[in-house]
Amino acid sequence: MTDQQPGLADNLASLETHLARFRQEGIQNHINGKNVPARSGETFETRSPVDGSLICTVAKGGADDVDAAARAAKAAFPAWRDMKASDRKAILHRIADGIVARSEEIALCECWDTGQALRFMSKAALRGAENFRFFADKVASSRDGQSLPSPTLMNITTRVPIGPVGIITPWNTPFMLSTWKIAPALAAGCTVVHKPAELSPLTARLLMEIAADAGLPDGVWNLINGFGEDAGKALTEHRAIKAIAFVGESRTGSMIMKQGADTLKRVHFELGGKNPVIVFDDADLDRALDAAIFMIYSLNGERCTSSSRLLLQDTIAETFQQKLIERVNKIRVGHPLDPKTEMGPLIAKDHYDKVTSYFDIARSDGATIAAGGTAPEGDGFFVNPTLFTNARPDMRIAQEEIFGPVLTTLTFTSEEEALEIANGIEYGLTGYIWTNDLTRSLRFANGLEAGMIWVNSENVRHLPTPFGGVKASGIGRDGGDWSFDFYMEQKHIGLAIGKHPIARLGA
Ligand code: NAD
């Protein structure tokens, strides 16, 4: 698995040059334009999931650090809010330029820190730049409102940034997700305290450096590393922080909602998923197969929008499953920096234990392990791509988010049954419908409980469209103008257009 294939040695050599500074300096917090250790002096280690080796130490931020960062973000807010739109736009474009310039470094560090395969991470870095460019171009319209005249008043609306915001991100594709949340916040005129996941701190540090080099004023973007239960919790409870944008597990979202209650935090949650891909027998089955495989086994299955439940019409189920098994068994598991690798190791031991525990759960519940269900020998948290068949919709493998390269297939006879299975779950992030019957696709999409639905397609992100989930998969939407709805407040101003009668009490 670690044999030297073309490209791997070169990538490892480049990675070494990028890691040297992390090894020497560790990762510090960044508050008000300065790199600082945690006030407690404490650090934690970050290790690579590829071989368990130490990457570097990281400042272990706590409530004091969050307080300093939140104060810095509060102090920097008025000037950033009032900066000319063209200047703010130019800075965000320079951040995008910086991401492109350092995209190789970002991709290699991301792979080493998270176990993701390079073939996907190089694109994720560039998508991060696109996120900044997209929102940079929206800065000028961010304060736009409406004119709603009444007989007596010229009513106008405008939007103003809500204030300093906390952004808490997970370890799956952490670079791309950080840009996805931070770019609209900055474009809206908010200042930011970012708390990246403790398991993958490297690229959040690179991103912050790129922003500083792009001329972002001190205090506008502060970075606090640390664990969810202390740094994350303190951020959600801080009075100066007006809103929390969170990407992570559903149960963490629920905790954050409670933690933020005393300070009436506005929250935006992008949470878990157990997304159905529904294949009817009239579909283009070859394309459906490609898409279903891609959406669950790319990114090591550590993807909120993964198609982790495959619902097959019984007329095609057997043939489809045979083809699926053949393909799944050929997915190339290996070193993330090998360009041929399609799947790398899972992020960490705890997560590996969670994912592999479902092999026994599947067996004891009576499902069949049709592919995988094993882990390769050797170091690192590698698992083989796994397929469960003969499952029932109420089984844990068909209900719970496994968040690994594990697919559960289910069968259905009628469209009604398919919809019942698809909706019979606590999550509602995405759904993928495969049919060539237009009316059926519309009818099914109408009934499907999901925030995002694709027909005859895998998940293809288009930045102006709304991104988010229903049920336990989230609250709120990102993308297009929807991001500004979260990071900004609506303001109504009514101007009298004449001398309308005003009630004269006590006259
Ligand atoms: P997680 O919820 O464990 O952690 C996410 C972040 O929250 C981390 O930075 C963590 O330190 C922090 N955190 C943990 N407890 C906290 C607390 N009490 N207060 C404040 N912060 C706290 O999630 P994870 O395991 O890192 O990420 C995987 C999850 O993220 C999966 O469920 C996945 O579906 C979800 N996800 C969703 C989307 C989406 O768009 N819907 C995108 C990516 C990932």
Side-chain angles (χ1 to χ4, degrees), residues 177-257:
L177 283 173
S178 301
T179 63
W180 178 233
K181 307 306 282 188
I182 294 173
L186 295 179
C190 295
T191 52
V192 168
V193 178
H194 179 206
K195 209 297 281 170
E198 51 271 39
L199 289 172
S200 58
L202 255 61
T203 54
R205 170 74 208 182
L206 298 179
L207 182 57
M208 190 281 303
E209 286 174 6
I210 289 168
D213 291 346
L216 198 72
D218 291 350
V220 171
W221 180 333
N222 307 276
L223 173 69
I224 299 292
N225 290 284
F227 290 79
E229 57 270 26
D230 38 54
K233 181 167 182 286
L235 186 57
T236 61
E237 291 173 342
H238 202 286
R239 198 158 287 280
I241 297 294
K242 299 298 169 202
I244 293 287
F246 168 75
V247 186
E249 284 188 32
S250 302
R251 67 189 148 87
T252 315
S254 158
M255 282 159 73
I256 289 176
M257 204 174 234

Side-chain angles (χ1 to χ4, degrees), residues 169-171 195 198 247-249 252 259 270-271 304 401 467:
T169 47
W171 47 257
K195 209 297 281 170
E198 51 271 39
V247 186
E249 284 188 32
T252 315
Q259 292 160 194
E270 288 179 9
L271 309 173
C304 56
E401 184 186 45
F467 184 102

